Amino acid sequence: MMLGILSQIILIILLTMVAIVSGANSIVLILIVSALLGVMVYHSFFEEQNVYLTVSEIALMLAFCVVSSNFTGFLILFFLKDIKIPFRMGLGMAAFWCISLWSEHNRSLAFHILLSLVLFLMFVVFAFAEIMTRRILERKQQERKKIVLANISEMHEKRLNEQLVMQNRISERNARLVERENISRNIHNSVGHSITAAIMTLDAADMLYEVKPDEARKKMNDANERIRGSLESIRRAVRVLDEENKTLFVRDLKAELGTIASEFMMDTSIEIYCNFHDMEDEVVMPHDYVVFLTSVLQELLTNGVKHGNATEFLVVLFGDSAHVSLKISDNGRSDFNDQNYAQRIEHGFGLKKIVSYVEKVGGCARFKNEQGFQAIIELPIVF
């Protein structure tokens, strides 16, 4: 816009100089041009679409045409920016014929036609220059707009990439946290119970050492084996994550649960009754379920003896091809109730881990205390 108004001012000044050289009244012409330039600059800078400004410009330009003594002065009508090019040219040609015939009636018609043709060609040159200038400016504006849009797109893409990087980092961190949680749960459930059983066996050996040294030595050997097995449990817990995609049969779960119950009874002389008949042996389940349910049995057996002084347990496995459930009951004394349920789950490391895993796989964990502590763990079998 600035370039357009400057070019118009320069051309009007040139037309004024031509008119003055041609013998026009310089003082009157300069006054008209000054007023015209003032209106045009105001109109251009403030971009007001005002009828009065347009009428003022036309009146001053027509006055310029009357005072000008050269036919080129009619080109000034071309600078009416609010009027389309054909109408500007028509207005200029009409003004030329009216003023020329009135002021120079002694001239021949051929002379007026010749001047009008020259004037028309000059109008065409002006029009061509304006159209080309406008296209160049529009092209530059479009290129500038493309650059701005490209920069905005680049910034947006960069922001999206940063968000993706951040999301990947968060996902990786969450994956590490889940992995750490799984390892800590498996180590706690496996190693903790093995060491607890070994300690209980050593305590029993200490009591028998003076009375039955052979039996005490046997229990110490059993405890030694248990501690050695703890190291293998740690290794197995770490390897579990690499075996998550493997599957096992329910018969494998039954064998693991039976082994844990037998060893626990051997170590503690506590009665454990198992009922695994309500689920088919050939049902397939994720390998992780077997590891988790065996750790649940270890956790609840130890808790029942340690915190509830339980002397009997009932372990029931049931379900079908769509879900598996493990029910563990004891005859211990526990203050677990509906009022302190949430607090006990939150502050109990083992129970909290059980609930966390069950919720993660879409299962259900229920705990209650009715003539002994009871836990029911239900897991959906999905792959």
Side-chain angles (χ1 to χ4, degrees):
M1 176 177 45
M2 192 68 181
L3 181 61
I5 188 63
L6 286 176
S7 62
Q8 289 180 5
I9 291 174
I10 293 173
L11 290 173
I12 290 174
I13 293 174
L14 291 175
L15 291 175
T16 304
M17 294 174 62
V18 171
I20 292 174
V21 171
S22 300
N25 190 329
S26 59
I27 296 176
V28 176
L29 196 61
I30 290 173
L31 291 175
I32 294 173
V33 170
S34 299
L36 177 61
L37 292 179
V39 173
M40 291 180 65
V41 170
Y42 180 86
H43 197 176
S44 179
F45 272 91
F46 293 94
E47 296 183 351
E48 293 186 6
Q49 300 297 326
N50 194 314
V51 177
Y52 297 106
L53 290 175
T54 303
V55 172
S56 299
E57 287 182 359
I58 294 175
L60 290 169
M61 288 179 179
L62 289 174
F64 183 94
C65 295
V66 173
V67 175
S68 174
S69 60
N70 190 283
F71 74 98
T72 57
F74 293 92
L75 290 171
I76 199 169
L77 288 164
F78 191 80
F79 301 124
L80 290 169
K81 68 174 186 177
D82 291 338
I83 301 177
K84 293 183 179 181
I85 291 177
F87 294 105
R88 289 187 242 170
M89 296 172 63
L91 182 61
M93 296 298 295
F96 168 75
W97 275 99
C98 291
I99 296 173
S100 296
L101 292 175
W102 173 70
S103 61
E104 299 182 11
H105 52 274
N106 56 337
R107 299 277 188 176
S108 64
L109 181 61
F111 178 78
H112 289 297
I113 294 175
L114 178 62
L115 288 181
S116 64
L117 288 175
V118 174
L119 184 62
F120 177 76
L121 292 175
M122 296 179 71
F123 271 124
V124 171
V125 172
F126 271 53
F128 178 77
E130 181 176 328
I131 292 173
M132 293 304 297
T133 303
R134 186 182 303 166
R135 288 183 178 179
I136 292 173
L137 292 176
E138 288 177 353
R139 188 179 299 111
K140 288 184 177 180
Q141 187 175 5
Q142 290 177 356
E143 291 176 355
R144 192 179 301 111
K145 185 177 180 180
K146 288 181 180 179
I147 293 173
V148 172
L149 292 176
N151 290 336
I152 294 175
S153 177
E154 184 178 356
M155 292 174 59
H156 181 65
E157 185 177 357
K158 183 178 180 181
R159 190 177 295 111
L160 287 178
N161 290 335
E162 291 176 352
Q163 292 177 354
L164 288 175
V165 171
M166 184 63 67
Q167 291 176 357
N168 289 335
R169 289 179 179 175
I170 294 175
S171 299
E172 291 175 0
R173 185 185 66 181
N174 291 339
R176 288 195 298 270
L177 291 176
V178 172
E179 180 180 359
R180 189 180 304 169
E181 181 181 355
N182 289 337
I183 293 175
S184 64
R185 183 188 68 243
N186 292 335
I187 291 177
H188 171 266
N189 292 337
S190 300
V191 180
H193 300 328
S194 297
I195 293 177
T196 300
I199 292 173
M200 296 171 67
T201 303
L202 289 173
D203 290 339
D206 183 60
M207 295 174 61
L208 295 172
Y209 185 76
E210 297 294 339
V211 182
K212 299 179 179 178
D214 293 336
E215 187 175 346
R217 186 177 295 107
K218 181 179 181 301
K219 287 188 175 294
M220 285 189 291
N221 290 333
D222 292 340
N224 186 30
E225 291 297 325
R226 283 301 180 89
I227 293 174
R228 291 177 182 275
S230 298
L231 179 60
E232 180 60 29
S233 297
I234 294 175
R235 294 170 178 166
R236 186 168 56 249
V238 175
R239 289 197 305 267
V240 162
L241 293 177
D242 296 330
E243 300 175 351
E244 284 181 345
N245 294 327
K246 294 184 178 180
T247 58
L248 294 174
F249 292 101
V250 168
R251 63 171 177 266
D252 299 313
L253 174 61
K254 292 180 179 180
E256 291 290 331
L257 295 176
T259 300
I260 292 172
S262 299
E263 291 181 352
F264 198 85
M265 285 190 292
M266 179 184 64
D267 296 332
T268 61
S269 300
I270 289 176
E271 294 295 332
I272 301 177
Y273 302 98
C274 297
N275 182 2
F276 301 153
H277 302 296
D278 292 334
M279 192 168 187
E280 297 294 332
D281 290 345
E282 302 304 316
V283 174
V284 179
M285 67 175 58
H287 174 273
D288 197 36
Y289 279 17
V290 176
V291 176
F292 171 71
L293 292 176
T294 53
S295 66
V296 168
L297 179 58
Q298 291 173 328
E299 174 74 23
L300 296 181
L301 289 177
T302 302
N303 285 351
V305 174
K306 187 176 180 180
H307 301 295
N309 296 319
T311 58
E312 290 184 359
F313 288 87
L314 174 62
V315 182
V316 180
L317 181 70
F318 58 95
D320 51 33
S321 60
H323 72 283
V324 57
S325 299
L326 180 66
K327 177 180 177 182
I328 303 172
S329 308
D330 63 45
N331 64 347
R333 296 183 300 274
S334 173
D335 58 352
F336 190 97
N337 53 52
D338 294 338
Q339 286 72 32
N340 63 12
Y341 182 94
Q343 183 179 6
R344 286 299 181 88
I345 297 297
E346 179 66 25
H347 296 286
F349 182 81
L351 295 182
K352 184 177 180 180
K353 291 291 184 180
I354 292 173
V355 172
S356 175
Y357 180 86
V358 171
E359 291 179 349
K360 184 180 70 173
V361 299
C364 177
R366 301 192 300 273
F367 306 99
K368 60 181 180 180
N369 183 24
E370 294 179 358
Q371 298 179 350
F373 186 78
Q374 183 182 96
I376 300 177
I377 310 298
E378 297 180 359
L379 303 176
I381 299 178
V382 292
F383 299 96

